[in-house]
Amino acid sequence: MHLIETAHLAMPKLGFGTWALKGADCARAVAEAIGLGYRHIDTAEMYDNEEAVGQGIRDSGIERERLFVTTKVWWTNLADPASALAASLKRMQLDYVDLFLIHWPNPAIPLARTLAAMEVLKERGLARAIGVANFPAALLQEAVATGAPIACNQIEYHVMLSQEPVLRVARAHDIAVTAYSPLGKGGLADDPVLAGIARRHGATGAQVALAWLLEQDRVAAIPKSGRVENMRANLAALDLRLTTEDRAAIAALPKTRRFVNPAWSPVWDQAA
Ligand SMILES: NC(=O)c1ccc[n+]([C@@H]2O[C@H](COP(=O)([O-])OP(=O)(O)OC[C@H]3O[C@@H](n4cnc5c(N)ncnc54)[C@H](OP(=O)(O)O)[C@@H]3O)[C@@H](O)[C@H]2O)c1
């Protein structure tokens, strides 16, 4: 499996998103994804599926050390990440996660304090690496300035949304970027420009959208699918090579489309 290797982590470039998968469906999907070759599973305490994710991992029969598991602490729980991680581990029946993220920033809780508590969890071996999600460029810079070993920023990123300011800060500090909603929640699969590129490669629009992310330095993508045929197709995107012409066509797409923008979002366009 293609890996992103930085000072703080070694993470498979293509992961399996689990948001909205629940219960037996989620356990089945996770076990199927692992069976197909996925080695990176993304969940969060907020997804209310950690028990099922743990069940799927056990059902797959894979050794724990061969998997990369991410979970996240919800933004209202940032005063006590230790309790949140303990509860997540218990639900998944795991001894550690590979990556533990702040799910969303919370200006009411001092960031340095949360990150210091997360660093202790890393030192105790309960999280192999720590990081953030939904941090715009300036906030990512602020997180780095605390001195915490930030390994990753998980953000919405796809062919219709530029994340250049965040990528600049991430690259300057050897931080991996994980692209969530890489298929625009599925909507990008039918985009005519992507479909045109896909036809030339005998691929699909969804695979083109993923290939564009996966070819980028230190960028991972975590598409979600409940269907084996889509899980398999998304995995195959790792082998799709775009041309200069393809990239130019993708560069010309609109770049301001956000599919995830809840009330508690930070101001997205803060400069670093
Ligand atoms: N950190 C955060 O705040 C945050 C926010 C959002 C998401 N995430 C993470 O990122 C993961 C992915 O994002 P997402 O679930 O929002 O959206 P996504 O992965 O962009 O899209 C998922 C949708 O695309 C469809 N799909 C998957 N593969 C396809 C293919 N090859 N062709 C056509 N359609 C396909 C799926 O349908 P089927 O299931 O029918 O295949 C599903 O409806 C989440 O599951 C979660 O783990 C994190």
Side-chain angles (χ1 to χ4, degrees), residues 9-236:
L9 53 66
M11 173 169 74
K13 266 206 157 241
L14 188 73
F16 185 69
T18 67
W19 187 74
L21 288 169
K22 293 265 172 80
D25 264 358
C26 177
R28 174 198 48 79
V30 167
E32 279 170 351
I34 295 169
L36 289 171
Y38 285 85
R39 294 292 177 262
H40 168 177
I41 311 289
D42 184 80
T43 182
E45 62 170 335
M46 189 280 253
Y47 296 176
D48 189 24
N49 67 8
E50 288 175 312
E51 284 96 346
V53 166
Q55 185 65 50
I57 292 172
R58 288 191 300 283
D59 291 348
S60 77
I62 198 165
E63 299 91 338
R64 170 67 185 93
E65 314 77 63
R66 295 179 59 206
L67 270 192
F68 187 100
V69 179
T70 301
T71 197
K72 317 181 191 85
V73 50
W74 193 235
W75 63 278
T76 52
N77 294 337
L78 298 186
D80 187 6
S83 296
L85 181 57
S88 288
L89 291 174
K90 190 167 175 206
R91 284 190 289 268
M92 289 189 279
Q93 298 185 33
L94 294 179
D95 299 328
Y96 68 93
V97 289
D98 296 275
L99 182 60
F100 186 44
L101 302 177
I102 292 179
H103 203 149
W104 290 88
N106 183 345
I109 298 177
L111 178 59
R113 213 178 296 164
T114 302
L115 288 171
M118 289 170 69
E119 194 170 351
V120 171
L121 299 172
K122 176 175 154 77
E123 280 155 11
R124 290 174 53 202
L126 299 172
R128 293 271 158 95
I130 61 170
V132 297
N134 295 300
F135 271 41
L139 208 49
L140 182 58
Q141 188 75 60
E142 202 181 308
V144 168
T146 67
I150 307 294
C152 180
N153 187 15
Q154 182 178 121
I155 52 173
E156 179 174 349
Y157 186 31
H158 44 69
V159 293
M160 297 272 191
L161 183 64
S162 167
Q163 287 286 13
E164 274 316 308
V166 180
L167 287 164
R168 261 197 304 278
V169 176
R171 291 195 176 119
H173 298 283
D174 195 25
I175 293 170
V177 166
T178 298
Y180 78 64
S181 303
L183 303 172
K185 299 203 158 287
L188 299 175
D190 298 323
D191 177 78
V193 172
L194 299 182
I197 296 170
R199 263 194 303 279
R200 292 199 289 277
H201 292 278
T204 67
Q207 288 176 317
V208 170
L210 292 175
W212 180 79
L213 290 164
L214 294 169
E215 71 176 14
Q216 297 178 38
D217 178 29
R218 282 166 283 181
V219 172
I222 49 169
K224 169 265 170 188
S225 178
R227 284 192 249 208
V228 171
E229 62 273 24
N230 284 348
M231 292 178 199
R232 192 178 283 124
N234 295 344
L235 210 47

